Amino acid sequence: MLRRILAWAGTVLIGLLLGAVSAWATLRVGSASFAESYGGWSYNRAAGSTAAGPYTRAIIAKEGLLALSSREAVYFFLNRDENGRPLDESCVYELNGRPFDARWWSVTLYADDGFLAQNSDNAASIDASRVGNAAPWRARIAPVQGNAPFWLSSRSARRSFSLMLRVYNPQDDFRPSEESLPVLSTVSCTEAR
Amino acid sequence: MSGWGKYVIAAIGVAILAHIAIIFATPRVLMNVAITRISSIAGFNAWQLSDRVTAASRAIIRPSPDFAYSACVYDLADGPVVISAAPWEPYWSLSLYAANTDNFFVIDDREARYGAEITLVERGRPHPEGASMVIESPSKRGIALIRRLAPSPDTYNGAAQVARQDVCASVAQLTR
C-alpha cells in the first residue's frame, strides 16, 4: 500500500516538474516561435493586444510588461549579431537605419537582465528627436563613443545584451520588413569570444 | 492497465495540466508583482510619477529612458474611477492594462490634443450619468500608464511639472 502511495506521489511530482520545465523552456526560448523575424529582429504583432493568445501573453509579460498594442506602438527585439552570435560588450557594432513611416522611434540597449546597463554614460538610447527621421542614420554600439555622432553604450552590458526598437504611431500602411529595419554589423571584437 | 504504463500516462497528464496552468498564470502573476510594487509607493487610485529612467530603474523590465512614466494602480472596488491626463508635447499617451496584461485602451495626443479624461467602470456595471468618456475595464484592478516623451533631463523636468495636473481617483473620493 505504502509503495503504491509513494509511486503515485512520485508520478504527480514528476508530472509537475515536467510541466514546470516545459513552461519555463517555452517562456525562456520560445519567444522566437511566437514572433515574426526580420533580419534578426523579432516582432510580435499581438503584443499588448486583447487578441493575444496565452503563450504570446505570457512571453510579452515576461519580456516587456505593459507593452502597448500595435495600434499605438510596435516593438522589435534583437539579441544576435549578423552571424547569430549573442551581442557582446567586448565587440564594437554599427547600426545603420533608415527613416520610419512613423511619428517617432527609438533604439534602447538593455543588459542581459532586461534592464539598462549599469553605467553612467547616459547613452542607453538613441531616438528620432536626436537622430532625426528624414535621412539614413548610423550609430555605434560600443563601450566607448569614439568619434561616432550617435552612440549606444554597451559598457557593463556584458554578454547577451539586447536592443529594442520602438516605433510609435506607425502609419497605417507600416509593414515591417528586413529592408525597413536597422541593420547591425560587427566592426570588431577585442577578446576571444 | 498494469505495470508502469498508468504512471507514465498520469505523469504526462499532470505535466500538461501544470504547463497550461503556468502559461495562463504567468501574466497575472507578473502583473500582480507590478501592481504590488507601484501601489506600495502610491497606494491605489493615485498617480505615481517614476523617477527618470536610469540604470537604477528596476521596477518594470525594459523601461524606456526616453519617457516620463506616470502609473496609477486602479481599483474599482469602490465604484468608478476618474482618470485624466494633461497634454504634453511632442507626445503623450494614456494606456490601460487589465490584470491579465492586456492593453485594452489607449488614447494619445492625436486623438486628444488637449488632454483626456475618462471614467473607468468594471465591465457590466452601470455607467455613471454625465460622464463624457466611459471605459469598461475587464478586471477590477489594473494599471493606468501615461507616457510623455522626454528624452532629456530638461524635458523630463517639464513633464514632471505637467504630471502634477493628472488625476486618478475614485468618484467616491472626488465627491466626498
Side-chain angles (χ1 to χ4, degrees), chain B residues 5 27 47 49-50 57 63-64 75 93 104 108 123-124 131 138-139:
Chain B
W47 285 113
L49 173 71
S50 300
S57 306
S64 170
D75 183 354
S93 67
F104 66 92
D108 66 20
R123 185 175 286 166
S139 56

Side-chain angles (χ1 to χ4, degrees), chain A residues 3-38:
Chain A
R3 201 172 157 184
R4 185 176 281 183
I5 291 171
L6 285 174
W8 278 112
T11 300
V12 170
L13 208 62
I14 289 168
L16 288 174
L17 198 65
L18 284 174
V21 169
S22 65
W24 177 84
T26 305
L27 297 179
R28 175 85 182 161
V29 298
S31 357
S33 315
F34 296 90
E36 301 163 27
S37 183
Y38 302 98

Side-chain angles (χ1 to χ4, degrees), chain A residues 116-124 143 151 153-156, chain B residues 52 54-56:
Chain A
L116 299 186
Q118 295 289 317
N119 65 53
S120 54
D121 294 334
N122 199 24
W151 172 49
S153 174
S154 59
R155 191 160 62 90
S156 304
Chain B
R52 186 154 190 259
T54 66

Side-chain angles (χ1 to χ4, degrees), chain A residues 21-191:
Chain A
V21 169
S22 65
W24 177 84
T26 305
L27 297 179
R28 175 85 182 161
V29 298
S31 357
S33 315
F34 296 90
E36 301 163 27
S37 183
Y38 302 98
W41 294 93
S42 62
Y43 161 62
N44 198 316
R45 198 178 296 273
S49 163
T50 51
Y55 286 100
T56 296
R57 202 174 266 139
I59 289 166
I60 296 295
K62 177 178 162 287
E63 302 288 337
L65 192 66
L66 305 183
L68 286 161
S69 64
S70 59
R71 178 183 155 270
E72 185 68 15
V74 286
Y75 304 87
F76 299 90
F77 183 74
L78 180 77
N79 63 357
R80 301 265 165 180
D81 68 12
E82 69 276 26
N83 298 310
R85 291 173 300 203
L87 301 181
D88 196 317
E89 180 188 348
S90 67
C91 294
V92 174
Y93 305 96
E94 197 172 84
L95 194 62
N96 285 278
R98 297 177 183 177
F100 290 98
D101 292 332
R103 201 167 150 203
W104 179 81
W105 61 265
S106 71
V107 178
T108 307
L109 187 151
Y110 296 100
D112 59 349
D113 60 1
F115 294 98
L116 299 186
Q118 295 289 317
N119 65 53
S120 54
D121 294 334
N122 199 24
S125 177
I126 56 171
D127 80 300
S129 68
R130 286 166 284 189
V131 177
N133 196 26
W137 51 269
R138 176 184 297 179
R140 176 187 171 98
I141 301 169
V144 291
Q145 182 168 11
N147 57 3
F150 304 116
W151 172 49
L152 285 162
S153 174
S154 59
R155 191 160 62 90
S156 304
R158 304 184 295 272
R159 189 174 159 82
S160 298
F161 68 81
S162 61
L163 302 177
M164 179 169 275
L165 166 66
R166 293 172 165 87
V167 180
Y168 271 68
N169 292 165
Q171 300 293 324
D172 288 342
D173 57 355
F174 177 83
R175 296 286 178 276
S177 67
E178 200 166 331
E179 292 72 35
S180 65
L181 297 176
V183 176
L184 183 93
S185 47
T186 306
V187 176
S188 63
C189 294
T190 55
E191 295 170 16

Side-chain angles (χ1 to χ4, degrees), chain B:
Chain B
M1 191 178 291
S2 61
W4 290 100
K6 61 187 174 192
Y7 295 113
V8 172
I9 289 171
I12 291 171
V14 171
I16 290 170
L17 289 175
H19 176 96
I20 292 170
I22 291 169
I23 294 297
F24 273 89
T26 296
R28 289 181 179 277
V29 169
L30 293 176
M31 192 68 172
N32 209 36
V33 170
I35 283 174
T36 304
R37 281 184 185 169
I38 296 167
S39 62
S40 68
I41 302 167
F44 293 94
N45 301 331
W47 285 113
Q48 166 68 33
L49 173 71
S50 300
D51 291 336
R52 186 154 190 259
V53 172
T54 66
S57 306
R58 311 305 264 192
I60 305 285
I61 195 164
R62 294 202 173 85
S64 170
D66 299 311
F67 286 105
Y69 292 100
S70 292
C72 166
V73 175
Y74 65 81
D75 183 354
L76 301 171
D78 291 334
V81 168
V82 172
I83 294 175
S84 78
W88 171 254
E89 288 188 357
Y91 170 88
W92 68 268
S93 67
L94 165 65
S95 44
L96 302 176
Y97 298 86
N100 68 349
T101 73
D102 281 357
N103 175 205
F104 66 92
F105 174 81
V106 61
I107 192 168
D108 66 20
D109 54 342
R110 292 178 303 178
E111 300 145 310
R113 190 174 169 192
Y114 301 107
E117 180 176 307
I118 63 167
T119 303
L120 194 59
V121 299
E122 201 175 345
R123 185 175 286 166
R125 294 294 176 95
H127 293 194
E129 283 182 22
S132 57
M133 187 187 284
V134 179
I135 305 297
E136 292 193 340
S137 169
S139 56
K140 193 165 275 187
R141 283 184 179 177
I143 294 176
L145 193 65
I146 297 175
R147 291 170 167 90
R148 291 188 170 93
L149 183 58
S152 67
D154 282 348
T155 51
Y156 173 85
N157 291 337
Q161 292 290 325
V162 166
R164 293 180 183 177
Q165 301 167 41
D166 302 332
V167 174
C168 185
S170 69
V171 171
Q173 267 176 286
L174 292 172
T175 53
R176 204 170 284 158

